């Protein structure tokens, strides 16, 4: 019995071949495709109910094999070569070139040949593809050293290599790695040994999944948060119950103890929905956006909300709103008793935004004392929401 993939490939090739050989016998067609006549009849019966969406008689492939001859009357476009639109071809070229940039990619020669053929087929229509580049965040500026370690503390560092290449080598040779990993939510640089399980790309970022000996659990590590990686002379040996996580719905997966947080964002803060693991979003009046996310701990959320100031309101939970309000009032108190009056400290000089916002009291909003938003590059950067992508 052929696999579903093999059968699909055969069916797609069968229609144009039969169209080019009208009246061919069942025996000759079966011999050409290397199958028995019974399998060929099954394929023809399946093709008879295939076609264009709608399923009406005029939408289906029309063929017959009465007696010993096969005739295809209506192939429903399957007798013509696949033609890509300019947009489709451009998207395919851009994606293939991004794939070709991956260090240590297996089958690179085949990819280069496919790219060359596609570029020739597209011709001048594909000029736009040459103006677009896709950058996968690996670990910009980060280097890794290959290290052979026989005893604790004994190491021999080699020449720096890109992080991704070292991790690919570790996966290929089934070797353990030592990571220096930044946990954004705690602003802490951690040291840990990891048995690599796989590398994956999600939303333009590289992740390493592996068994973390520090956490004694499977963890995902963003490569752009690695401060260094060493390849150890120790075999990687994840325990039998170490199973790769399903990340089709996103890298972050809420845990049973995670807190559900609802934020109402003003238009300038809509970037939060693109930068953080938001599970739900709802449009608000005036261009605002309500987002829902989950967090294992809320320290990073304090920084985020204080940094956004009047552009965000904590709608839930009430405890988080009160925590942020308390922190904003503490910032207000730092400016002295006069800060509790009008938002003017000296004639003609406004107080920093943190004091002004905190004085409102009604909303859980505020900024840091300097009044600067945390933003995408600030200390409240992504990944703090949830241990799954934060390596904790």
């Amino acid at each position: 019995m052929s696999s579903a993939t093999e059968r699909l490939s055969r069916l797609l090739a069968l229609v144009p071949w039969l169209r080019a050989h009208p009246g061919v016998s069942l025996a000759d067609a079966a011999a050409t495709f290397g199958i028995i006549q019974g399998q060929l009849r099954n394929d023809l019966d399946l093709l008879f109910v295939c076609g264009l969406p709608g399923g009406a008689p005029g939408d289906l492939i029309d063929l017959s094999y009465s007696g010993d001859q096969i005739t295809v009357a209506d192939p429903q476009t399957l007798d013509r070569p696949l033609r890509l639109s300019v947009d489709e071809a451009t998207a395919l070229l851009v994606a293939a070139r991004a794939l070709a940039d991956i260090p240590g990619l297996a089958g690179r020669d085949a990819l280069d040949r496919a790219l060359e053929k596609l570029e020739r087929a597209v011709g001048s229509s594909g000029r736009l593809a040459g103006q677009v580049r896709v950058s996968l965040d690996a670990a910009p500026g980060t280097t890794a050293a290959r290290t052979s370690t026989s005893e604790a503390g004994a190491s021999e560092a080699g020449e720096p290599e890109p992080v991704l290449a070292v991790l690919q080598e570790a996966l290929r040779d089934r070797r353990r790695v030592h990571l220096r990993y930044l946990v954004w939510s705690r602003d802490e640089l951690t040291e840990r040994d990891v048995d690599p399980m796989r590398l994956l790309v999600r939303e333009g970022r590289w992740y390493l999944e592996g068994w973390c000996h520090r956490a004694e659990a499977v963890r995902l590590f963003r490569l752009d948060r690695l401060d260094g990686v060493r390849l150890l002379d120790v075999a990687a040996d994840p325990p039998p119950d170490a199973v790769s996580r399903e990340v089709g719905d996103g890298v972050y997966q809420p845990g049973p103890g995670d807190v559900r947080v609802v934020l109402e964002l003003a238009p300038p803060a809509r970037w939060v929905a693109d930068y953080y693991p938001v599970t739900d979003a709802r449009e608000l009046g005036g261009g605002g956006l309500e987002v829902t996310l989950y967090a294992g701990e809320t320290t990073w959320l304090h920084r985020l909300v204080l940094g956004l100031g009047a552009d965000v309101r904590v709608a839930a939970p009430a405890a988080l709103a009160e925590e942020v309000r308390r922190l904003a009032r503490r910032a207000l108190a730092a400016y002295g008793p006069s800060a509790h009056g009008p938002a003017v400290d000296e004639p003609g000089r406004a107080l920093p935004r943190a004091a002004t916002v905190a004085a409102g009291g009604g909303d859980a909003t505020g900024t840091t004392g300097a009044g600067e938003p945390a933003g995408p590059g600030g200390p409240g950067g992504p990944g703090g929401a949830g241990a799954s992508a934060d390596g904790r």
Side-chain angles (χ1 to χ4, degrees):
M1 179 65 68
S2 61
S3 69
T5 302
E6 292 172 344
R7 191 180 190 191
L8 176 61
S9 299
R10 185 173 64 248
L11 291 172
L12 291 173
L14 186 58
V15 175
W17 188 86
L18 292 174
R19 184 71 168 174
H21 299 80
V24 66
S25 68
L26 283 168
D28 289 345
T32 298
F33 285 88
I35 55 178
I36 61 175
Q37 292 187 41
Q39 180 63 62
L40 178 59
R41 288 192 179 92
N42 289 338
D43 288 351
L44 294 174
D45 289 340
L46 178 58
L47 285 172
F48 191 74
V49 294
C50 295
L52 300 175
D59 298 325
L60 301 177
I61 294 174
D62 186 7
L63 59 84
S64 64
Y65 57 98
S66 56
D68 189 45
Q69 293 183 327
I70 309 171
T71 302
V72 178
D74 186 354
Q76 293 294 350
T77 76
L78 287 183
D79 61 335
R80 299 197 298 270
L82 175 66
R83 297 183 64 85
L84 299 175
S85 68
V86 173
D87 288 345
E88 290 170 336
T90 299
L92 188 57
L93 279 170
V94 171
R97 287 169 179 164
L99 185 62
D101 289 339
I102 298 176
L105 177 69
R108 175 62 185 269
D109 290 343
L111 178 61
D112 288 342
R113 291 195 299 272
L115 264 172
E116 183 180 353
K117 293 177 182 177
L118 185 58
E119 288 169 346
R120 284 203 306 267
V122 173
S124 60
S125 299
R127 286 195 302 267
L128 179 61
Q131 303 171 18
V132 180
R133 301 294 297 178
V134 175
S135 176
L136 299 177
D137 294 339
T142 308
T143 59
R146 301 168 63 190
T147 302
S148 175
T149 303
S150 57
E151 296 179 4
S155 64
E156 180 181 351
E159 293 295 321
E161 292 186 15
V163 166
L164 184 59
V166 174
L167 294 175
Q168 287 175 328
E169 181 178 352
L171 278 167
R172 183 179 63 251
D173 298 341
R174 300 179 180 273
R175 291 172 65 181
R176 184 172 300 171
V177 292
H178 180 81
L179 307 181
R180 286 171 53 85
Y181 187 74
L182 178 62
V183 180
W184 273 95
S185 61
R186 301 196 303 267
D187 195 24
E188 176 187 359
L189 189 61
T190 62
E191 305 264 355
R192 57 188 78 210
D193 288 349
V194 176
D195 292 342
M197 294 166 58
R198 62 170 173 166
L199 287 163
L200 61 154
V201 178
R202 285 296 179 273
E203 298 178 354
R205 294 188 177 91
W206 281 97
Y207 292 86
L208 167 70
E209 184 177 45
W211 177 263
C212 176
H213 289 268
R214 169 177 168 147
E216 295 186 341
V218 175
R219 288 289 184 264
L220 282 169
F221 302 93
R222 269 179 52 171
L223 266 59
D224 59 346
R225 293 185 184 155
L226 286 174
D227 187 57
V229 54
R230 297 202 314 271
L231 187 62
L232 304 179
D233 191 18
V234 179
D237 187 24
D241 59 346
V243 179
S244 292
R245 302 182 58 168
E246 175 56 53
V247 295
D249 294 330
V251 171
Y252 176 70
Q253 299 174 357
D258 287 1
V259 178
R260 178 178 177 271
V261 178
V262 180
L263 303 177
E264 295 178 359
L265 306 172
R270 289 179 66 101
W271 61 265
V272 171
D274 299 322
Y275 205 72
Y276 288 87
V278 169
T279 60
D280 190 31
R282 182 174 66 90
E283 294 290 337
L284 299 175
L289 187 68
E290 179 188 89
V291 298
T292 301
L293 50 83
Y294 290 81
E297 57 85 38
T298 57
T299 303
W300 69 275
L301 277 167
H302 296 163
R303 296 196 296 265
L304 173 65
V305 174
L306 289 171
L308 290 173
D311 290 333
V312 63
R313 176 180 176 272
V314 179
L320 176 61
E322 180 57 35
E323 289 170 4
V324 175
R325 187 179 295 114
R326 175 175 49 82
L327 291 170
R329 286 172 176 163
R330 183 186 301 174
L332 175 66
Y335 294 103
S338 61
H340 293 274
V344 176
D345 190 21
E346 299 176 3
R349 179 183 177 188
L351 285 173
R353 189 174 175 218
T356 304
V357 173
D363 289 344
T365 56
T367 64
T368 59
E372 295 294 335
S388 62
D390 210 21
R392 287 177 291 176

